[in-house]
Amino acid sequence: MSPTRPVTAVIRTITLTAIAATVALAPATGWAEPTDSDRLDAIIAEHEAAEDLLADLEDQLAEAEEEATDATPDVAIAPETVTDATRAVPRDESPLARLSAVTLYGVATSEQLADAVTAQDTAATLLAELRADVKAQRAAVKELAVQRDELAADLASSPAPVGTTSTTVSADGAGAVAFAVSQLGDPYVYGAAGPDGWDCSGLTSAAWAAAGGSLSHSTYAQWDETARIGADELRPGDLVFYNGLGHVAIYAGDGQVIHAPTTGDVVRYAPIDMMAIEGYGRL
């Protein structure tokens, strides 16, 4: 079985990265309590790193299981092999010499058998460890997703601090964001508008439908159906249009959007400036 990357080393790297991200939240002149927005950014980054680690572990496990199956040794001693061993000794040798040849063959075969058993035991131990690591990492990814979604929902429904631009969400905007949050992890499917797959405008259309609004299943139509607003006016539930109206996302608050990216990806959070912004819309 080929060696695999030590799991503990990978986990330590992820942990140190998360600690560094937390430290980076403090200003250079002194430590300050991270805001909820900072915490959300850190959790999103940690969740993505945890998903990457899970994918790596699952690849290691699949490879180890395949190699363990292919490497099962055949060490049975068939009667004809003993006969072959005696034939290797010239017939003019004494019976003792011929018996010695068979004995030596048996010793060599026994050593092969012992080596094979040891290798199988090692492989079984590695497989058990990898399976335990994969199970634990799946639980960690799930827990981080819960934390991320709960914090995002809190941010979407909370008013802005006194003296800042208002981010208080209308009931409709909060409902649209809540719907989008509930679809996180669903796959991107071209032309789909739910319930188990989405394209970008299908997601925003369904999100606003769940909140009592109406938007067509088209980024171009949604541009026409929404009022133009400035970046400083954004509040959760507003739409963010990208790349010449080739893509649309729903603003979730605090510099984050939720969107259905592209084939092979899933509904997820992303920074609002993930690509060139065309403009903003409000229903």
Side-chain angles (χ1 to χ4, degrees):
M1 179 176 297
S2 61
T4 56
R5 182 158 49 140
V7 174
T8 52
V10 179
I11 293 175
R12 177 173 173 77
T13 300
I14 296 298
T15 302
L16 291 176
T17 301
I19 292 172
T22 302
V23 172
L25 297 177
T29 55
W31 190 86
E33 181 70 21
T35 65
D36 285 345
S37 177
D38 293 332
R39 292 190 183 93
L40 178 58
D41 290 343
I43 288 176
I44 290 172
E46 190 176 355
H47 179 261
E48 291 175 352
E51 286 186 316
D52 291 342
L53 175 56
L54 175 59
D56 183 64
L57 289 172
E58 288 176 333
D59 288 344
Q60 290 186 39
L61 178 58
E63 180 182 353
E65 288 178 331
E66 181 179 356
E67 291 185 4
T69 300
D70 294 342
T72 301
D74 181 9
V75 293
I77 304 176
E80 57 268 23
T81 61
V82 177
T83 302
D84 291 342
T86 60
R87 287 174 180 170
V89 180
R91 291 190 175 279
D92 57 355
E93 291 288 346
S94 67
L96 181 59
R98 296 171 64 78
L99 178 60
S100 177
V102 174
T103 301
L104 290 174
Y105 176 84
V107 169
T109 304
S110 297
E111 291 175 350
Q112 292 173 3
L113 178 60
D115 290 343
V117 170
T118 299
Q120 285 182 317
D121 288 345
T122 301
T125 300
L126 175 60
L127 283 174
E129 291 175 351
L130 280 172
R131 286 172 181 144
D133 288 337
V134 167
K135 182 177 180 180
Q137 192 62 21
R138 283 173 179 162
V141 168
K142 184 176 180 180
E143 176 60 25
L144 283 169
V146 170
Q147 294 178 25
R148 176 200 63 193
D149 296 347
E150 288 178 348
L151 184 53
D154 289 343
L155 285 170
S157 60
S158 62
V162 175
T164 65
T165 301
S166 175
T167 57
T168 303
V169 196
S170 67
D172 289 345
V177 172
F179 179 89
V181 167
S182 71
Q183 310 310 311
L184 290 169
D186 282 358
Y188 175 94
V189 178
Y190 179 76
D196 300 316
W198 310 89
D199 67 7
C200 64
S201 59
L203 176 65
T204 53
S205 174
W208 269 100
S214 177
L215 287 172
S216 301
H217 185 177
S218 161
T219 54
Y220 296 94
Q222 290 179 14
W223 177 267
D224 292 335
E225 292 165 352
T226 55
R228 301 284 70 76
I229 57 174
D232 59 344
E233 300 176 274
L234 274 175
R235 65 191 187 199
D238 290 336
L239 302 185
V240 184
F241 296 89
Y242 298 91
N243 289 348
L245 303 185
H247 190 64
V248 64
I250 188 165
Y251 186 60
D254 295 284
Q256 297 288 323
V257 296
I258 299 174
H259 71 139
T262 188
T263 301
D265 211 332
V266 298
V267 176
R268 59 182 174 83
Y269 285 96
I272 191 172
D273 58 354
M274 60 180 174
M275 58 182 78
I277 296 175
E278 186 73 21
Y280 311 94
R282 177 171 297 161
L283 188 62

